[in-house]
Amino acid sequence: MSNTRELYQQYQEEMAQLADVRFTGAVLQWDQETYLPAKGAEFRGRQLSTLSEIAHRMATSEKLGALLHELQGSDGLTPAEQKNVQLTWEDFSKQQKYPAAFVRQLSDAINKAFHAWMEARKANNFGVFEKDLDALLQLKKQEASLLGYTGHPYNALLNEYEKGATVEGIDRSFAAILPQLKNLLDRITSRPQVADAFLQKTYPKDKQWEWGMWLVQQLNYDLAAGRQDISEHPFSTSFNPQDVRITTRVDEQDFANMTWSTIHEVGHALYEQGLPTEGYGLPSGEACSYSIHESQSRLWENNVGRSRGFWQHFLPELKRYFPDQLGDIDLDTFYRGINKVQPSLIRTEADEITYHFHVAIRYELEKQLLDGSLATADIPAYWNEHYQKYLGITVPDDKRGCLQDVHWSHGSFGYFPTYSLGSFYAAQFYHAATEANAGLVSEIKNGNTANLLSWLREKVHASGRLHTSEELCTQVSSKALDASVFLHYLETKYQFIYGL
Amino acid sequence: MSNTRELYQQYQEEMAQLADVRFTGAVLQWDQETYLPAKGAEFRGRQLSTLSEIAHRMATSEKLGALLHELQGSDGLTPAEQKNVQLTWEDFSKQQKYPAAFVRQLSDAINKAFHAWMEARKANNFGVFEKDLDALLQLKKQEASLLGYTGHPYNALLNEYEKGATVEGIDRSFAAILPQLKNLLDRITSRPQVADAFLQKTYPKDKQWEWGMWLVQQLNYDLAAGRQDISEHPFSTSFNPQDVRITTRVDEQDFANMTWSTIHEVGHALYEQGLPTEGYGLPSGEACSYSIHESQSRLWENNVGRSRGFWQHFLPELKRYFPDQLGDIDLDTFYRGINKVQPSLIRTEADEITYHFHVAIRYELEKQLLDGSLATADIPAYWNEHYQKYLGITVPDDKRGCLQDVHWSHGSFGYFPTYSLGSFYAAQFYHAATEANAGLVSEIKNGNTANLLSWLREKVHASGRLHTSEELCTQVSSKALDASVFLHYLETKYQFIYGL
């Protein structure tokens, strides 16, 4: 028994040191996206590679392996501790499949691809990115082989982001939901369109920044355990639950982008700030999965942040920042405007319906890249063809087409589907929250989201990664993931907005 | 031969990876001083400890030891490569003396002491810092034993900052120079004092920031390979020669502090930006020593930045930023004002003469702490007594007394003397530069310091750490360090300013 406790403490300390190295890498990446001077990129790249190599060595060390082996056979651990050990063992076994040289190779390739992507965006030319992307893709195929899979090679990569996800399952989900979304979209586009010209007015940068900083605090984002900065692409990142940072982008001509991407990143950050600090470095201190992470950002961005009730309180506040732009806009006009549905080019700016076509196109494309039925060089053609087919829009150039997302340049293939799953979970969790707490909706109408956050902290955040997404979903909402909750949410919402 | 090349490349790569980890730690520290949210400090502390432990493991690895051993006996290395290997071997042997547990203990103690120092400053009470400082001091004594020394235990720590420095040597230097400085100071204080009321006016923060950003570029600090931010205490830090950052502090009531501390940090940063990138991780890519580093900051701050010629060009420029504050100030009034000599409380704000008494007090104090003739608890009393004795001033409180410097909270004992050495080297280098380049002084009068920087790049920066301070000094100025050059510089300067 006392030996078990000692071993468990050693395991905790090993994992905490591994977290130190990984979070250090995250600090370097945050700096890279916010404050790094132009010439600093070259050496920063190798510094990140070295850190990821060290992290890999630590995550696959004989010492950790021996500790996990011993702990798995030990009595005297609580169920949560057993689960930590078991999940770490799974991670350990997976990490063992990566040779150290491959880890460095991958890190270097990602660094190259990221900079090529930046250059390609500047040049508005996918061709500038193609070679480095293809090199990275070959490594990702190799990674799929190293990890092993049954069925489609893409399954191996999907599992990196969503444990248990398969091509078969996601195909089935999209097959079930896309026609219904298409149907809803068609009914909406046949109705008179809503006015949102007020969102296209000029909103001065400094006022947007002030408004954003005020808003994040209203949402109970703790600025003593985080901060907001400017980056080209908004993101959130965590170095521990006491230091969870968000970034935003401020465009005078695009007020909506700043506001809802800020609420989105706050959603991610509230999750990280709510993870148990005593689980630092352990599965119990980590987010459940990418889809559950996304459920938190989308719940705050959409279910709360695009709800009529929320703006009942916050529109008058917003008008104090922008009296000239919004003085004559009433609640329903505002609510309709911020929920306008319209097929468009950019995923991150898409409405709640068309968003999932953006995801589906990327998912299909990645699947085909992985099994070799699509060549890297053919990405732009595939992309443009499917935007026409699914959304009926013509992609004018690569920057607003297949160069718009950072993901591939980071080597993140298999990530996109979690965005759609996140929306489905968000709707289901929000529904469960309002079912369980009769007063919640009227609290939100008064600008008070504290109890909603407390509920999420208890139901979603507190258990870290000790359950799978599906297990957590069942615990939180008493049933498995059911996309019809999401569809029902959309139906109700757009019935009001478009008078369907 | 080909084996030697291969070994050397392996050695280079090992050292580059070690540099990656050390510079990563520097990024974390930069972040800690600039942007870290309050609650983030706790885990940041352990992240830094883990990194320093990893760096220590790498710096003492068997693999590196074997490489160095083999390379030392190899033919086929250039003299510079041989020197790299030899210096790395010395570092390696020294690092071997630190047990890994001690490294972590020290890092933890520093983290604790740093936060205690911050708290003590807030409380304006040395007592709040005493316990953690004493614990750190005990570890530094232990470090001196681990490193070994002949004579005074302080010698071991002095050597960390200045190779070859000893209590005997520094005692001798101070004994030679302090009486002459005292004599100069007495002659100055017997003269009518210069007016500097214009420096005490209000200088708006945003204008100071703009002026500072403009000035650093005039001095050829490359903002594509660096950046400036705000921190409580100005510092410069480097993550590689392409990413060298400075910070400043802006106080509306203290324009002089911002301007000359900025020039000071730029001096450090120009040195780091001038180090050879191909020496990344090797002695040939590192700064020579702390005193030579300080020579660069002081040369720019004082020999250039407090010279009449420099302001002949820059005062009219400065007046454009601050017409109300400086419109009626002529060059000589300005020049006299910015060089006012007056015993004062804060080292970093001291003039070029009294500065060295600040250093001497700290040096004497550290010496006695190290040999046990002074107790940690007695620091404030010792401090206050000697400020009275040397500078004739009464220290009103700990914040403006023995809590003013961050150094001890970082465990930096033995650092202060390099500040005085830096001034001496600066005078000697600047003298050599003007001797070698007839046009330099008139170029500076035209605001052009590019050739001075080129000369420093070639003579001082290019050789990295391949020479000792003394060797470098002899190469640059054709003679060993000679503090009479510094004294002569002061005499000439203050004869004009005070009409001695």
Side-chain angles (χ1 to χ4, degrees):
Chain A
M1 272 292 279
S2 76
N3 187 39
T4 300
R5 294 259 48 91
E6 211 173 277
L7 285 174
Y8 192 80
Q9 273 165 25
Q10 279 179 40
Y11 151 74
Q12 274 181 306
E13 181 53 25
E14 287 294 307
M15 295 303 286
Q17 290 193 25
L18 175 55
D20 291 338
V21 174
R22 285 180 173 156
F23 286 130
T24 293
V27 175
L28 261 57
Q29 254 149 352
W30 170 85
D31 180 77
Q32 177 161 288
E33 309 279 343
T34 52
Y35 294 119
L36 187 73
K39 295 182 187 173
E42 188 192 338
F43 282 96
R44 176 58 53 89
R46 65 157 296 143
Q47 290 164 353
L48 279 164
S49 293
T50 293
L51 280 190
S52 77
E53 209 174 36
I54 290 171
H56 180 255
R57 262 203 305 270
M58 293 168 82
T60 55
S61 75
E62 275 182 41
K63 185 175 173 191
L64 180 59
L67 276 170
L68 290 169
H69 186 75
E70 280 214 69
L71 280 167
Q72 279 182 309
S74 294
D75 294 333
L77 293 180
T78 68
E81 288 171 345
Q82 283 174 22
K83 194 83 205 206
N84 271 331
V85 170
Q86 179 211 318
L87 290 167
T88 307
W89 176 254
E90 288 173 18
D91 297 341
F92 180 82
S93 309
K94 205 174 70 186
Q95 285 290 317
Q96 293 281 2
K97 298 178 180 174
Y98 292 96
F102 180 80
V103 172
R104 189 161 195 105
Q105 223 179 336
L106 193 60
S107 172
D108 287 343
I110 286 168
N111 189 43
K112 263 189 161 167
F114 176 69
H115 291 288
W117 174 73
M118 301 259 275
E119 290 305 314
R121 277 176 62 86
K122 265 190 221 146
N124 199 355
N125 179 3
F126 177 80
V128 174
F129 182 36
E130 187 195 322
K131 198 178 118 267
D132 290 317
L133 175 61
D134 192 64
L136 181 51
L137 198 60
Q138 299 318 314
L139 287 173
K140 294 303 284 188
K141 287 182 183 173
Q142 208 177 317
E143 186 179 354
S145 301
L146 289 168
L147 290 170
Y149 54 86
T150 45
H152 201 285
Y154 193 28
N155 287 348
L157 304 186
L158 285 169
N159 256 274
E160 292 297 279
Y161 301 97
E162 193 64 20
K163 202 171 161 178
T166 60
V167 161
E168 296 68 31
I170 294 170
D171 280 351
R172 209 165 37 236
S173 292
F174 277 133
I177 203 165
L178 290 182
Q180 305 214 47
L181 289 178
K182 186 71 173 65
N183 173 282
L184 181 56
L185 180 60
D186 288 344
R187 281 150 59 214
I188 285 172
T189 46
S190 72
R191 296 285 307 159
Q193 291 312 291
V194 302
D196 67 344
F198 64 88
L199 290 172
Q200 269 83 57
K201 291 182 183 169
T202 299
Y203 290 73
K205 279 198 173 186
D206 54 343
K207 279 284 156 195
Q208 282 199 47
W209 176 259
E210 281 173 35
W211 152 251
M213 287 301 286
W214 179 82
L215 182 61
V216 301
Q217 292 172 78
Q218 298 305 306
L219 295 170
N220 298 299
Y221 172 61
D222 181 0
L223 277 173
R227 50 177 296 113
Q228 181 166 243
D229 296 273
I230 298 286
S231 67
E232 201 185 331
H233 300 274
F235 65 95
S236 72
T237 184
S238 170
F239 313 142
N240 68 70
Q242 310 275 42
D243 188 358
V244 182
R245 305 186 187 185
I246 56 175
T247 70
T248 191
R249 169 177 52 186
V250 184
D251 178 343
E252 295 202 332
Q253 305 309 322
D254 197 352
F255 163 75
N257 193 304
M258 189 286 298
T259 295
W260 283 276
S261 80
T262 296
I263 303 176
H264 181 97
E265 300 311 332
V266 163
H268 282 302
L270 289 175
Y271 188 6
E272 292 286 336
Q273 286 188 336
L275 291 171
T277 48
E278 65 276 18
Y280 182 79
L282 304 179
S284 58
E286 290 172 351
C288 172
S289 69
Y290 282 77
S291 64
I292 298 299
H293 226 305
E294 194 70 8
S295 79
Q296 300 305 289
S297 57
R298 287 186 180 261
L299 186 150
W300 289 98
E301 178 192 354
N302 294 331
N303 304 80
V304 175
R306 290 189 206 269
S307 72
R308 192 172 176 283
F310 182 79
W311 290 104
Q312 196 168 317
H313 174 81
F314 281 104
L315 181 58
E317 299 284 350
L318 178 60
K319 286 184 181 186
R320 285 187 210 158
Y321 287 85
F322 302 105
D324 297 341
Q325 294 84 346
L326 295 171
D328 59 349
I329 303 297
D330 65 29
L331 177 60
D332 282 332
T333 305
F334 186 82
Y335 175 54
R336 288 195 166 92
I338 65 170
N339 282 294
K340 181 174 179 152
V341 174
Q342 191 170 40
S344 64
L345 290 163
I346 307 294
R347 177 184 57 83
T348 55
E349 296 167 12
D351 58 79
E352 294 182 65
I353 296 172
T354 59
Y355 187 87
H356 301 282
F357 294 99
H358 291 265
V359 171
I361 291 169
R362 287 157 175 79
Y363 163 72
E364 282 292 335
L365 196 156
E366 292 185 358
K367 198 169 71 174
Q368 297 186 29
L369 285 173
L370 259 292
D371 67 19
S373 55
L374 186 72
T376 308
D378 296 331
I379 290 176
Y382 182 97
W383 184 284
N384 299 352
E385 182 194 332
H386 285 77
Y387 265 74
Q388 196 70 56
K389 181 175 156 192
Y390 285 140
L391 290 168
I393 57 174
T394 305
V395 176
D397 53 26
D398 292 345
K399 202 173 163 185
R400 282 172 286 180
C402 62
L403 285 178
Q404 70 183 260
D405 297 301
V406 71
H407 301 63
W408 296 337
S409 79
H410 284 170
S412 301
F413 295 87
Y415 192 135
F416 287 117
T418 66
Y419 289 143
S420 286
L421 293 174
S423 292
F424 310 158
Y425 282 125
Q428 199 161 328
F429 291 175
Y430 186 70
H431 180 72
T434 53
E435 290 282 297
N437 305 274
L440 218 55
V441 172
S442 61
E443 282 170 15
I444 293 175
K445 285 181 186 165
N446 290 313
N448 175 9
T449 57
N451 280 330
L452 172 59
L453 178 59
S454 299
W455 188 85
L456 292 168
R457 287 259 147 99
E458 183 197 332
K459 298 289 179 183
V460 179
H461 306 178
S463 59
R465 186 160 67 91
L466 296 185
H467 311 297
T468 62
S469 308
E470 279 287 343
E471 286 165 5
L472 187 71
C473 182
T474 306
Q475 282 197 7
V476 171
S477 66
S478 308
K479 59 175 178 178
L481 181 62
D482 174 4
S484 72
V485 181
F486 174 62
L487 285 168
H488 181 75
Y489 153 75
L490 291 182
E491 277 287 341
T492 313
K493 181 169 190 169
Y494 291 108
Q495 263 171 25
F496 176 89
I497 291 171
Y498 281 92
L500 301 179
Chain B
M1 271 291 279
S2 76
N3 186 38
T4 300
R5 295 258 47 92
E6 210 174 279
L7 287 173
Y8 192 80
Q9 273 165 24
Q10 278 179 39
Y11 151 74
Q12 273 180 307
E13 181 52 26
E14 287 293 306
M15 295 303 285
Q17 290 192 25
L18 175 55
D20 290 338
V21 175
R22 284 180 174 155
F23 286 130
T24 293
V27 175
L28 260 57
Q29 255 150 351
W30 170 85
D31 181 76
Q32 178 160 287
E33 308 280 342
T34 52
Y35 294 119
L36 187 74
K39 294 182 186 170
E42 186 190 338
F43 282 97
R44 177 57 54 89
R46 66 156 295 144
Q47 290 163 353
L48 279 164
S49 294
T50 293
L51 280 189
S52 77
E53 209 174 36
I54 290 171
H56 179 257
R57 261 201 306 269
M58 292 168 82
T60 55
S61 75
E62 274 181 44
K63 185 176 173 190
L64 180 60
L67 276 169
L68 291 169
H69 186 74
E70 280 214 70
L71 280 166
Q72 279 183 308
S74 295
D75 294 333
L77 294 179
T78 68
E81 288 170 345
Q82 282 174 23
K83 193 81 204 207
N84 271 332
V85 171
Q86 179 210 316
L87 290 167
T88 307
W89 176 254
E90 288 174 17
D91 296 340
F92 180 81
S93 308
K94 205 174 72 185
Q95 284 291 318
Q96 293 281 2
K97 297 177 179 173
Y98 292 95
F102 180 80
V103 172
R104 188 159 195 107
Q105 223 179 337
L106 193 60
S107 173
D108 288 343
I110 286 168
N111 189 43
K112 261 189 162 169
F114 176 70
H115 291 287
W117 174 74
M118 301 259 273
E119 289 306 312
R121 277 176 62 88
K122 264 189 221 144
N124 199 354
N125 178 3
F126 176 81
V128 174
F129 182 36
E130 187 194 322
K131 197 179 116 266
D132 290 316
L133 175 62
D134 193 64
L136 182 51
L137 197 62
Q138 300 318 314
L139 286 174
K140 296 303 283 186
K141 288 181 183 174
Q142 209 177 317
E143 186 179 355
S145 302
L146 288 168
L147 290 169
Y149 54 85
T150 46
H152 200 285
Y154 193 28
N155 287 348
L157 303 186
L158 285 170
N159 256 274
E160 292 298 280
Y161 301 98
E162 192 65 19
K163 202 171 160 178
T166 60
V167 161
E168 297 68 31
I170 294 171
D171 280 351
R172 210 163 39 233
S173 293
F174 276 134
I177 202 163
L178 291 183
Q180 304 214 48
L181 289 178
K182 186 71 172 67
N183 172 282
L184 180 57
L185 180 60
D186 287 345
R187 281 149 60 215
I188 285 171
T189 47
S190 73
R191 299 284 307 159
Q193 290 313 290
V194 301
D196 68 344
F198 63 89
L199 290 172
Q200 269 84 57
K201 291 181 182 168
T202 299
Y203 290 72
K205 278 197 177 189
D206 53 345
K207 280 283 155 197
Q208 282 199 50
W209 175 258
E210 282 173 35
W211 151 252
M213 287 301 288
W214 179 81
L215 182 62
V216 301
Q217 293 172 78
Q218 298 304 307
L219 296 169
N220 299 299
Y221 171 61
D222 181 0
L223 276 174
R227 49 177 297 114
Q228 180 165 244
D229 297 274
I230 298 285
S231 67
E232 201 183 330
H233 301 274
F235 65 95
S236 72
T237 183
S238 171
F239 313 142
N240 69 70
Q242 312 275 43
D243 189 358
V244 181
R245 305 187 187 185
I246 56 175
T247 70
T248 191
R249 170 177 51 187
V250 184
D251 179 343
E252 294 203 332
Q253 305 310 319
D254 197 352
F255 162 76
N257 194 304
M258 190 284 298
T259 295
W260 282 276
S261 79
T262 296
I263 304 177
H264 181 96
E265 299 310 333
V266 163
H268 282 302
L270 290 174
Y271 188 8
E272 292 285 338
Q273 287 188 336
L275 290 171
T277 48
E278 65 276 18
Y280 181 79
L282 303 179
S284 58
E286 291 172 351
C288 171
S289 69
Y290 282 77
S291 66
I292 298 299
H293 226 307
E294 194 70 8
S295 79
Q296 300 305 290
S297 57
R298 288 187 179 260
L299 186 150
W300 289 99
E301 178 193 355
N302 295 330
N303 304 80
V304 175
R306 290 187 206 269
S307 72
R308 193 174 175 282
F310 182 79
W311 289 103
Q312 196 168 315
H313 173 80
F314 281 104
L315 181 57
E317 299 284 350
L318 178 60
K319 285 183 180 185
R320 282 188 214 158
Y321 288 85
F322 302 106
D324 297 342
Q325 294 84 347
L326 295 170
D328 60 346
I329 303 297
D330 66 28
L331 177 60
D332 282 334
T333 306
F334 186 82
Y335 176 55
R336 286 195 167 93
I338 66 170
N339 281 293
K340 181 173 180 155
V341 173
Q342 190 171 40
S344 64
L345 291 163
I346 308 296
R347 177 184 57 83
T348 55
E349 296 166 13
D351 59 78
E352 294 182 65
I353 297 172
T354 59
Y355 187 86
H356 302 280
F357 294 99
H358 291 264
V359 171
I361 291 168
R362 286 156 177 78
Y363 163 73
E364 281 292 336
L365 196 156
E366 291 185 358
K367 198 168 75 174
Q368 296 186 29
L369 284 174
L370 259 291
D371 68 19
S373 55
L374 185 72
T376 307
D378 296 331
I379 289 176
Y382 181 98
W383 184 285
N384 298 352
E385 183 194 330
H386 285 78
Y387 266 74
Q388 196 71 55
K389 182 175 157 192
Y390 284 140
L391 290 169
I393 57 175
T394 305
V395 175
D397 53 27
D398 292 345
K399 201 174 164 184
R400 283 172 284 181
C402 61
L403 285 178
Q404 69 183 259
D405 297 301
V406 71
H407 301 61
W408 295 337
S409 79
H410 284 169
S412 302
F413 296 87
Y415 193 136
F416 286 117
T418 67
Y419 289 143
S420 287
L421 293 174
S423 292
F424 310 160
Y425 282 124
Q428 198 160 328
F429 291 174
Y430 187 69
H431 181 71
T434 53
E435 290 282 297
N437 304 275
L440 218 55
V441 172
S442 61
E443 282 169 17
I444 293 174
K445 284 180 186 165
N446 290 312
N448 175 8
T449 56
N451 280 329
L452 171 60
L453 178 58
S454 298
W455 188 87
L456 291 168
R457 288 259 147 99
E458 183 198 332
K459 299 288 178 184
V460 180
H461 306 179
S463 59
R465 185 160 69 91
L466 295 186
H467 311 295
T468 64
S469 308
E470 279 287 342
E471 286 165 4
L472 187 72
C473 182
T474 306
Q475 282 196 9
V476 171
S477 65
S478 309
K479 60 177 179 177
L481 182 62
D482 174 6
S484 73
V485 180
F486 175 64
L487 285 169
H488 181 74
Y489 153 75
L490 291 182
E491 276 287 342
T492 313
K493 182 169 189 168
Y494 291 108
Q495 262 172 26
F496 175 90
I497 291 170
Y498 282 91
L500 301 179

